[in-house]
């Protein structure tokens, strides 16, 4: 007997992620801020990793290089980040938040924290830690061949 798609753990995980992203984006939109979740992730990554190469941004935010490049261009066009030649490596770009970008982070960060609290409402710290451990095991299992 085959298992119904909706009964699989991975279907539930994907549905939870999509539900959270829609919920979070709606709250950002209600705040009147012109930014998407993916753009927010790139901004935070650049804030937390000031000298990071573009390829590594993609790894952190789970996007391919073309997608990250498009997001960066949108953020440059909005005036949230600055792109210039890297001072130590002419083949790389140096990306940094502008003052407007830093202000956007300050405005959005409390919304993101509220979104996370609301999404996790009713889950105690033990359940969250256990779920995190389960997800870590799944990730490790999927990357087991990467190290061999």
């Amino acid at each position: 007997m085959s298992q119904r798609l909706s009964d699989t753990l991975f279907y539930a995980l994907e549905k939870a992620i999509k539900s959270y992203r829609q919920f979070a984006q709606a709250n950002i939109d209600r705040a009147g801020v012109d930014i998407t979740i993916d753009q927010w992730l790139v901004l935070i990554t650049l804030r937390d990793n000031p000298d990071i190469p573009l390829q590594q941004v993609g790894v952190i935010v789970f996007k391919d290089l073309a997608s990250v490049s498009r997001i960066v261009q949108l953020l440059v066009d909005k005036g949230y980040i600055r792109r210039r030649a890297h001072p130590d490596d002419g083949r790389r770009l140096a990306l940094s938040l502008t003052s407007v970008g830093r202000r956007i982070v300050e405005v959005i960060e409390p919304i993101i924290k509220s979104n996370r609290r609301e999404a996790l409402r009713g889950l105690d710290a033990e359940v969250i830690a256990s779920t995190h451990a389960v997800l870590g095991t799944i990730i490790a299992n999927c990357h087991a061949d990467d190290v061999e």
Side-chain angles (χ1 to χ4, degrees), residues 3-145:
Q3 186 177 31
R4 287 184 352 193
L5 180 62
S6 61
D7 292 338
T8 67
L9 176 63
F10 295 102
Y11 182 87
L13 284 169
E14 187 70 24
K15 187 173 182 179
I17 290 165
K18 287 188 184 298
S19 296
Y20 175 76
R21 287 178 66 91
Q22 290 170 347
F23 164 77
Q25 188 63 59
N27 287 334
I28 291 169
D29 293 346
R30 268 193 289 284
V33 181
D34 181 25
I35 195 165
T36 66
I37 297 291
D38 289 335
Q39 292 168 5
W40 159 257
L41 291 171
V42 170
L43 276 183
I44 288 301
T45 300
L46 293 174
R47 181 199 68 183
D48 294 346
N49 305 278
D51 196 35
I52 190 169
L54 195 58
Q55 293 85 347
Q56 191 61 30
V57 173
V59 169
I60 291 171
V61 301
F62 310 112
K63 298 286 180 196
D64 59 61
L65 186 56
S67 295
V68 173
S69 295
R70 281 190 300 275
I71 292 168
V72 164
Q73 185 57 54
L74 287 168
L75 292 170
V76 168
D77 292 346
K78 290 178 180 185
Y80 297 170
I81 64 173
R82 178 180 312 107
R83 178 177 49 202
R84 52 184 162 43
H86 193 279
D88 300 326
D89 184 350
R91 298 168 295 172
R92 277 182 51 196
L93 292 174
L95 302 170
S96 59
L97 274 63
T98 64
S99 59
V100 174
R102 285 190 297 277
R103 178 70 186 127
I104 290 293
V105 168
E106 290 172 9
V107 168
I108 296 295
E109 208 153 25
I111 296 168
I112 297 296
K113 288 178 182 177
S114 174
N115 288 342
R116 291 173 183 166
R117 275 192 311 274
E118 182 62 23
L120 296 174
R121 185 173 30 96
L123 302 176
D124 62 32
E126 186 177 314
V127 168
I128 292 169
S130 174
T131 303
H132 204 214
V134 167
L135 295 173
T137 299
I138 292 170
I139 292 164
N141 289 344
C142 292
H143 288 291
D145 292 340

